[in-house]
Amino acid sequence: MLNRTFQPELKAIDHIDFIAPVKYALNEEVSLFHMRDVADETCRFDLYFDAGKCRGLKGVPNFVNGLLLSGTNQKSSIQIQEEINGKGGFFESGVSVENAVISVYCLRENLWSIVETIADAIKNTAFIEKEVTEFLSDARQKLKINLEKMSYLAQVEFQQRLFASHEHYSNVLQLEDFENITIDQLKEFHATHYLNGLSKIVVVGNVEDELVSNIKTMFQPLALKSPLAFEKGLKNLPGEHIVDKENAIQTAIRLGRILFNKKHPDYIDFLVLNTILGDYFGSRLMANIREDKGYTYGIGSMVAETDDTGYFLIATEVRKDVREDTLNEIRFEINRLQNELVSTTELELVQNYMLGQLLKALTVLMP
Amino acid sequence: MIKYDKFTLENGLTVLFHKDITTPMAVVNTLYDVGARDESEDQTGFAHLFEHLMFGGSVNVPEFDTPLQLAGGENNAFTSNDVTNYYDVLPANNIETALWLESDRMLSLAFTDKSLEVQRSVVIEEFKQRYLNQPYGDVWLELRPLAYTIHPYKWATIGKEIKHIEDATMNDVKAFFKKFYTPSNAILCIAGNLELEDVKSLVTKWYGDLPKLEKPLRNLPKEPEQNEFREKTIERDVPANAFYYAFKMVDRKHADYFVYDTLSDALGRDKSARLYITLKKELNLVSNISAYVTGSLDEGLLVISGKLNDGVSFEDLDQALWNELEKVQKEQIHPLELEKIMNKIRTAKEFGDQGILNRAMNLCSYELLGDASLINKESEMYHQITPEDILRVAKVTLNKTNCSLLKIKSTNAK
């Protein structure tokens, strides 16, 4: 008779095969990394630019990033989109605090054709007035919709206090930014941070070395010429801040601090601590605030890095009447980590889980 | 070409095995043939609430997540109007832990009161977070009952209202499990670097002694043909006016399903689609517009949705949209346009079949449609589509009498 009460014997993860990319230097500062181990026809292509939010104010970094495919003096935005979509490509772009990234997903047979289109669009962006006006109008509508979301409001307030020590880092997009922007500001940012701001290229896909080399040559003129340098010694502004939002039926909470990045000797230890506290389904915050009390659909914590430092964040949306209870329980769980040793059982579980995640991450090249 | 083996246990459990030697991970995916369409109208949201309870411990194992995490694995699940799907991803050499956990919760749940009470609260917070506390979050709660009059697609997976979730009792939960969570109502797919013989013996070991029970019969009301234009306007405190045109279309098994999908791509998949170019780039009426199909197993919807620019009226949009829809009914689309759409479909398919988790889930979905091998025939089905097909389908579909229109009128838009 099968005994269902005992877990089948477990085997440890004894080794992980890491794969390394091939590196091509564009110059002393900038490299292209190629990962060739992809078993199918898919391909991914990322361009990183030194064009993050910290490089400008008043929405300029976001606007320029959003306008990269808006047309050149020779080609309309419609033509550019036709060329990418017609070859089956998916285009994405985004801006983080210290970086701007554009990504393309396509079949490898179409990679070169799409790369050519994108290189031309980025190198020759004309910031045509009609396109800029339309883009700003759409972006303004999106911001107005975001301003109705509790999670967005909490995130924005959090970011302002997290990066309080530096104006560019704490800067968030405001509705009035849309009124004051000029095309010259956009052109200037584009010239500095895109035409001379490429910081990294990543190609993932089973493509020939020659093609990769051609991509390198194609983007070489855009490469940064001096080392990337970012703000050091960022400090957060401690304290509690409440935003009242009429008619909201849940409260969004964001809580955290400036911490450190992977250059710090405690980084790996902190990753384990973070997982125990809030970064997996069985975490202490989930077990307490979701699975025991039912206050929320989800609560999690995360560690993020910036160039010089990093930060730690706990995020959740909870029932309106349990805001204070939730904050107390978060404090309770943090105190517990500070005053009681984690049991060997829990630590072993989290270590196994994290190793499994690492093994998995290495096998899925496209998230 | 995605290869797989298939076998069936005596208790009716269908098992698929997909071998992939390139990964050290394995997937155990379980699809139960039950979704929100199987609920009764006064107890909606139940299939999804039940999905949450499946993590509350089973008859022999007090916790589901802990042993799986200890094995280096993770899991999740989702519920749709059609199905409920559970998956575990873990290092292949620990696959037995996933089979132990999944087979035990197929055998029976622990049914603790605490689990029901907590998950009831969690699901109510999910309802608020995703559908009520978001601008435009309740659109599908409104659009479904407009487009469907009697078919259970008229309510959303989360449920019609919070009250139905509040009222669920332990007896309801037990009855639901007994009826739907049987081996014969499930499709199991195992993927990873394993051998077929080992998979067979492990699956037989853990699932073989589960009792054989009847597969529940499904007898859903068929939605009558729509012969009238339906329109509803709701006022909401949102920043912009939004529109949702929903057209009835065929079910997932119908030969024309892929034609509808292609038609929706031509109209509004991306920034080179017809509606985007005309209504946005040429006429500047909308901030965004897209078209898509719901992909449901029973008769679905082709939806065109978007948001108006400030100062544009619903009437302006309506006129321009119907003009554009008329064109696709009068003139065949150019073979070159079709070819471009097919390129995008091919890319999406290649990414969609990437990784063992996607493949295991897709194999189960196709097996539910009738045959897992359809996964390898889909590209051919798209490839055979002609401009005549698109024209024919556009003609019978994109008509006012086949359309339900939901307008979200902003109480503060200019």
Side-chain angles (χ1 to χ4, degrees):
Chain A
M1 183 66 187
L2 185 62
N3 188 335
R4 290 183 171 274
T5 53
F6 293 105
Q7 177 160 16
E9 193 191 336
L10 285 183
K11 297 187 183 73
I13 296 172
D14 49 11
H15 82 287
I16 297 179
D17 290 323
F18 288 90
I19 46 173
V22 178
K23 184 174 162 180
Y24 297 73
L26 277 73
N27 62 26
E28 278 181 24
E29 310 300 336
V30 183
S31 297
L32 179 156
F33 298 93
H34 178 211
M35 294 280 245
R36 199 172 182 163
D37 297 299
V38 177
D40 52 47
E41 295 299 311
T42 64
C43 206
R44 173 177 174 166
F45 167 71
D46 298 313
L47 294 174
Y48 289 76
F49 291 93
D50 181 21
K53 285 179 193 155
C54 71
R55 295 301 187 213
L57 285 174
K58 307 206 176 300
V60 173
N62 302 68
F63 300 155
V64 173
N65 183 260
L67 282 160
L68 288 172
L69 302 188
S70 65
T72 68
N73 289 327
Q74 270 71 45
K75 249 187 232 172
S76 71
S77 66
I78 296 177
Q79 284 172 293
I80 293 170
Q81 291 288 348
E82 283 266 352
E83 288 180 15
I84 298 169
N85 292 316
K87 291 286 178 184
F90 290 82
F91 175 88
E92 277 176 16
S93 68
V95 185
S96 65
V97 182
E98 289 182 336
N99 271 309
V101 188
I102 69 167
S103 303
V104 170
Y105 301 84
C106 62
L107 299 183
R108 57 184 176 149
E109 68 194 62
N110 296 318
L111 178 63
W112 179 246
S113 156
I114 294 173
V115 163
E116 279 186 308
T117 301
I118 283 178
D120 175 49
I122 294 175
K123 287 177 184 175
N124 302 300
T125 317
F127 298 96
I128 302 155
E129 194 177 346
K130 176 179 180 288
E131 291 284 341
V132 173
T133 311
E134 276 176 33
F135 171 82
L136 290 176
S137 155
D138 296 347
R140 190 165 174 274
Q141 192 185 77
K142 267 184 218 151
L143 177 61
K144 284 168 89 177
I145 292 169
N146 277 334
L147 291 171
E148 296 300 312
K149 296 177 183 166
M150 300 326 111
S151 54
Y152 183 84
L153 292 175
Q155 188 62 38
V156 160
E157 291 293 333
F158 174 75
Q159 193 185 327
Q160 288 176 322
R161 278 152 189 82
L162 179 72
F163 294 127
S165 65
H166 196 283
E167 189 196 6
H168 284 201
Y169 281 71
S170 62
N171 175 55
V172 294
L173 191 60
Q174 309 283 341
L175 282 172
E176 49 272 26
D177 293 341
F178 292 90
E179 314 302 330
N180 304 319
I181 194 82
T182 66
I183 287 188
D184 284 342
Q185 284 174 295
L186 301 174
K187 284 183 173 170
E188 192 191 321
F189 188 88
H190 178 255
T192 316
H193 296 286
Y194 285 92
L195 298 184
N196 292 289
L198 179 70
S199 60
K200 185 168 69 177
I201 305 178
V202 179
V203 178
V204 184
N206 186 9
V207 291
E208 299 299 323
D209 294 345
E210 193 192 336
L211 173 55
V212 178
S213 184
N214 289 341
I215 292 176
K216 188 193 86 170
T217 313
M218 175 80 95
F219 288 100
Q220 210 142 21
L222 306 189
L224 271 173
K225 287 164 191 78
S226 48
L228 272 174
F230 292 100
E231 190 63 21
K232 299 205 184 304
L234 289 167
K235 285 196 178 52
N236 59 279
L237 181 70
E240 192 174 310
H241 188 79
I242 297 169
V243 186
D244 268 321
K245 178 78 180 152
E246 215 185 322
N247 302 328
I249 56 169
Q250 279 185 319
T251 300
I253 298 173
R254 298 290 182 274
L255 183 157
R257 56 164 293 177
I258 289 286
L259 197 66
F260 42 66
N261 64 15
K262 63 164 77 73
K263 294 168 195 161
H264 195 282
D266 290 336
Y267 182 74
I268 297 289
D269 290 352
F270 193 84
L271 280 190
V272 177
L273 177 154
N274 172 59
T275 307
I276 294 170
L277 180 65
D279 202 18
Y280 75 118
F281 201 88
S283 73
R284 290 179 174 195
L285 288 175
M286 279 290 272
N288 180 342
I289 292 162
R290 174 176 145 141
E291 292 298 300
D292 184 56
K293 305 210 170 52
Y295 287 172
T296 178
Y297 177 48
I299 181 163
S301 67
M302 62 173 281
V303 179
E305 295 187 87
T306 59
D307 182 70
D308 174 61
T309 176
Y311 63 92
F312 167 67
L313 166 67
I314 296 172
T316 185
E317 269 100 77
V318 297
R319 219 169 68 208
K320 226 174 155 180
D321 62 311
V322 295
R323 181 179 87 200
E324 289 310 313
D325 277 353
T326 303
L327 289 171
N328 284 336
E329 293 302 331
I330 292 172
R331 274 182 217 113
F332 171 79
E333 292 300 344
I334 291 175
N335 283 338
R336 203 149 71 91
L337 276 171
Q338 291 173 325
N339 295 308
E340 283 173 30
L341 287 179
V342 173
S343 73
T344 45
T345 329
E346 187 177 0
L347 187 59
E348 187 196 357
L349 181 141
V350 166
Q351 286 172 315
N352 287 358
Y353 169 77
M354 290 177 78
L355 278 169
Q357 288 293 298
L358 185 59
L359 195 64
K360 189 181 124 193
L362 288 165
T363 59
V364 184
L365 290 172
M366 311 274 166
Chain B
M1 175 83 175
I2 294 167
K3 291 186 180 164
Y4 66 92
D5 290 287
K6 176 181 163 180
F7 57 94
T8 310
L9 300 190
E10 274 178 30
N11 56 25
L13 178 69
T14 301
V15 188
L16 304 167
F17 166 55
H18 168 64
K19 181 167 177 154
D20 183 341
I21 60 163
T22 67
T23 170
M25 304 300 284
V27 167
V28 174
N29 189 71
T30 315
L31 182 150
Y32 288 94
D33 185 3
V34 57
R37 65 177 166 163
D38 299 303
E39 297 160 351
S40 69
E41 194 167 356
D42 52 0
Q43 279 191 321
T44 65
F46 212 85
H48 169 252
L49 172 64
F50 193 84
E51 174 216 311
H52 279 247
L53 297 172
M54 283 286 277
F55 295 90
S58 54
V59 57
N60 295 298
V61 191
E63 282 184 87
F64 184 88
D65 292 297
T66 309
L68 192 74
Q69 288 153 358
L70 195 61
E74 64 164 357
N75 68 86
N76 212 332
F78 62 84
T79 309
S80 71
N81 292 75
D82 294 319
V83 302
T84 315
N85 189 84
Y86 301 82
Y87 63 84
D88 313 299
V89 185
L90 76 174
N93 55 10
N94 284 333
I95 191 166
E96 202 163 353
T97 285
L99 298 174
W100 164 62
L101 291 166
E102 289 294 354
S103 65
D104 203 55
R105 66 178 176 180
M106 194 181 286
L107 178 65
S108 183
L109 290 186
F111 299 116
T112 67
D113 290 330
K114 164 102 186 174
S115 175
L116 177 59
E117 286 327 304
V118 168
Q119 293 311 318
R120 191 203 304 279
S121 303
V122 169
V123 168
I124 290 170
E125 291 312 305
E126 180 180 357
F127 201 134
K128 292 185 204 162
Q129 184 177 324
R130 296 173 60 177
Y131 300 87
L132 304 181
N133 205 28
Q134 294 285 344
Y136 313 100
D138 62 345
V139 160
W140 281 90
L141 304 183
E142 298 285 346
L143 184 58
R144 287 184 171 280
L146 189 64
Y148 294 101
T149 55
I150 59 167
H151 189 283
Y153 284 164
K154 71 184 187 179
W155 57 84
T157 310
I158 194 73
K160 269 168 114 164
E161 49 186 312
I162 286 181
K163 187 166 188 306
H164 287 180
I165 296 157
E166 287 170 344
D167 289 348
T169 68
M170 185 55 90
N171 281 340
D172 299 332
V173 169
K174 287 183 175 168
F176 195 85
F177 180 83
K178 203 174 159 199
K179 182 169 179 192
F180 293 110
Y181 279 72
T182 64
S184 57
N185 207 37
I187 299 165
L188 176 70
C189 181
I190 292 168
N193 189 7
L194 304 156
E195 297 300 329
L196 176 62
E197 287 317 306
D198 297 337
V199 169
K200 275 187 180 166
S201 77
L202 282 173
V203 169
T204 309
K205 172 179 170 186
W206 290 106
Y207 291 85
D209 64 357
L210 267 56
K212 183 181 169 76
L213 299 159
E214 284 303 304
K215 182 173 167 65
L217 282 176
R218 180 177 282 122
N219 191 8
L220 301 180
K222 190 172 160 48
E223 183 67 22
E225 199 177 321
Q226 184 172 336
N227 289 311
E228 61 191 357
F229 176 62
R230 297 181 194 143
E231 185 175 355
K232 185 176 181 182
T233 306
I234 51 177
E235 297 206 345
R236 289 283 183 271
D237 181 16
V238 288
N241 292 321
F243 55 88
Y244 301 81
Y245 290 79
F247 299 87
K248 292 277 172 48
M249 60 170 272
V250 296
D251 65 76
R252 183 64 183 78
K253 287 186 188 178
H254 195 286
D256 278 340
Y257 173 81
F258 297 101
V259 183
Y260 277 89
D261 191 33
T262 308
L263 171 64
S264 76
D265 285 356
L267 290 172
R269 177 171 199 150
D270 55 33
K271 291 181 176 174
S272 20
R274 288 173 171 226
L275 297 178
Y276 187 89
I277 290 181
T278 325
L279 301 191
K280 176 166 175 60
K281 298 307 286 185
E282 287 171 16
L283 300 171
N284 203 17
L285 300 174
V286 298
S287 62
N288 62 71
I289 186 161
S290 54
Y292 43 90
V293 299
T294 52
S296 57
L297 293 179
D298 295 331
E299 286 166 9
L301 299 174
L302 185 158
V303 182
I304 296 169
S305 69
K307 296 192 178 69
L308 294 182
N309 279 335
D310 281 359
V312 174
S313 71
F314 281 111
E315 291 71 32
D316 294 340
L317 166 84
D318 198 62
Q319 199 174 7
L321 177 64
W322 286 108
N323 279 346
E324 202 51 40
L325 296 181
E326 211 168 286
K327 281 186 215 161
V328 80
Q329 298 175 56
K330 279 196 172 148
E331 246 178 84
Q332 283 186 17
I333 78 166
H334 196 279
L336 211 60
E337 184 182 351
L338 189 56
E339 190 190 314
K340 287 179 172 183
I341 295 166
M342 289 304 154
N343 280 340
K344 198 114 190 198
I345 287 171
R346 208 153 59 89
T347 309
K349 166 84 175 160
E350 192 73 10
F351 277 98
D353 281 341
Q354 191 171 55
I356 48 171
L357 177 57
N358 283 346
R359 290 202 289 270
M361 287 198 285
N362 292 345
L363 280 166
C364 285
S365 301
Y366 283 107
E367 182 63 24
L368 181 69
L369 278 181
D371 181 2
S373 74
L374 290 169
I375 197 170
N376 294 315
K377 292 172 188 154
E378 198 182 275
S379 298
E380 184 55 29
M381 310 277 261
Y382 278 109
H383 201 69
Q384 287 171 354
I385 294 170
T386 63
E388 290 82 4
D389 290 329
I390 309 261
L391 188 74
R392 171 176 56 82
V393 161
K395 272 184 185 168
V396 298
T397 309
L398 302 173
N399 304 306
K400 265 209 148 168
T401 53
N402 188 41
C403 178
S404 305
L405 168 59
L406 178 68
K407 298 193 278 198
I408 313 285
K409 195 167 174 347
S410 162
T411 49
N412 55 21
K414 273 182 265 175

